[in-house]
Amino acid sequence: MLEKNSLAKIRKNVEDCVGKKVILKANKGRKKTTIREGILEEAYPSLFVVKICNQFDMVRRVSYTYSDILTETVEVTICDDEDRQIKIS
């Protein structure tokens, strides 16, 4: 029961931050992690989508589930201002 409440809390936190700049730190396994910046584009009932632009002006969209945040496979940090950052976990 605690897990369900945690997922609902994570989902609400992500839905409240749609349209804001985020920093994603994703664990790819075998000591591989990637850090990317993007815009939180959409939040659906079971997953959320982040739009990432790289140095070659290519747009890429990646999606993660809320359980990825719960299991700490993905760390999402919301960048409100230049100085203020909020971590969702």
Side-chain angles (χ1 to χ4, degrees):
M1 193 63 149
L2 180 64
E3 181 178 330
K4 189 171 185 178
N5 290 335
S6 297
L7 278 175
K9 182 179 174 185
I10 290 170
R11 182 180 305 134
K12 184 181 180 321
N13 288 339
V14 170
E15 287 174 352
D16 291 343
C17 298
V18 170
K20 294 185 180 178
K21 182 178 175 183
V22 295
I23 298 173
L24 290 172
K25 183 177 179 184
N27 183 3
K28 298 291 187 180
R30 294 210 177 232
K31 299 181 184 179
K32 297 177 190 171
T33 58
T34 58
I35 299 174
R36 297 187 178 160
E37 293 183 10
I39 306 275
L40 188 58
E41 197 171 52
E42 291 286 333
Y44 296 105
S46 60
L47 57 93
F48 60 97
V49 179
V50 178
K51 180 176 146 184
I52 298 172
C53 296
N54 63 8
Q55 66 269 19
F56 303 113
D57 292 333
M58 292 180 57
V59 176
R60 182 174 178 201
R61 287 175 176 82
V62 293
S63 62
Y64 296 101
T65 62
Y66 301 110
S67 61
D68 289 335
I69 296 174
L70 185 67
T71 59
E72 298 179 357
T73 305
V74 176
E75 293 179 13
V76 179
T77 307
I78 307 296
C79 301
D80 278 345
D81 296 328
E82 296 288 327
D83 301 331
R84 195 170 147 203
Q85 295 183 348
I86 302 169
K87 183 177 176 183
I88 295 178
S89 58

